[in-house]
Amino acid sequence: MARRRGATVIALASTPQKAAFAVARGADHGLTYEGDWVSAVRQLSGGGVDIAYDSVGTTLADSLAALRPRGTVVAYGTAGGDPPAIDPRPLMEQSKAVVGGDLWDHLDSRDGRLARAGALFAALRAGEIALPEIELFPLSRGADAHRRLESRGVTGKIVLVPDGAG
């Protein structure tokens, strides 16, 4: 979706396979969190990115370091744990910003949800975005679904369905 708006997308993932998957799905570059990914992002972006989306939480300081002056981090998750406290002085010195994002704050009305769903389904129909792989697990195999999630090998969605439905 970002590329449709003219952005260069650098995807970060937990494994090389997921980074390659992101590139196959449209990212310009795929990196992993191993090594000095901040330097790699800064090099690929010519000195820093305009915006970083951070769903990990514990990587917030690194996401800030990957920004160019006047860049913004959108913090919208804590998959890896709570983010560290932020000293506002370095933010002021480089005019950087951190904003929070919560899906339900943006989807706060029926009309808003319908408009966003309409745009999503239009993009799907036009082939501009693709559905992720969906793995179905019967409820009786819920523990297997959880182990699959814990394996960190999932690139799509895991859905639990009633026994006999999948």
Side-chain angles (χ1 to χ4, degrees):
M1 293 170 74
R3 286 199 56 204
R4 282 186 18 213
R5 293 180 177 237
T8 298
V9 175
I10 303 169
L12 288 169
S14 59
T15 67
Q17 295 81 7
K18 285 185 179 182
F21 179 81
V23 171
R25 288 293 182 138
D28 295 288
H29 308 281
L31 303 173
T32 68
Y33 289 103
E34 296 297 318
D36 186 3
W37 63 265
V38 172
S39 292
V41 167
R42 293 184 63 76
Q43 182 178 10
L44 287 168
S45 62
V49 295
D50 294 314
I51 189 161
Y53 295 93
D54 192 316
S55 65
V56 178
T58 55
T59 56
L60 182 59
D62 289 331
S63 293
L64 281 164
L67 291 178
R68 63 159 178 80
R70 295 175 304 283
T72 301
V73 172
V74 177
Y76 69 98
T78 57
D82 288 334
I86 300 170
D87 179 356
R89 187 167 194 95
L91 297 178
M92 293 184 295
E93 291 169 353
Q94 294 189 14
S95 299
K96 291 181 178 180
V98 177
V99 298
D102 181 77
L103 178 65
W104 298 113
D105 183 56
H106 289 275
L107 298 177
D108 61 353
S109 71
R110 182 178 190 276
D111 289 342
R113 288 187 293 275
L114 288 172
R116 288 176 186 267
L120 172 66
F121 289 120
L124 283 166
R125 281 191 296 277
E128 295 169 353
I129 59 174
L131 284 174
E133 178 184 338
I134 299 172
E135 295 181 56
L136 301 177
F137 285 83
L139 285 171
S140 62
R141 292 188 47 225
D144 292 335
H146 199 274
R147 280 189 287 278
R148 179 79 174 110
L149 280 172
E150 288 176 337
S151 76
R152 299 182 80 179
V154 177
T155 55
K157 299 295 179 190
I158 290 183
V159 177
L160 293 171
V161 296
D163 287 336

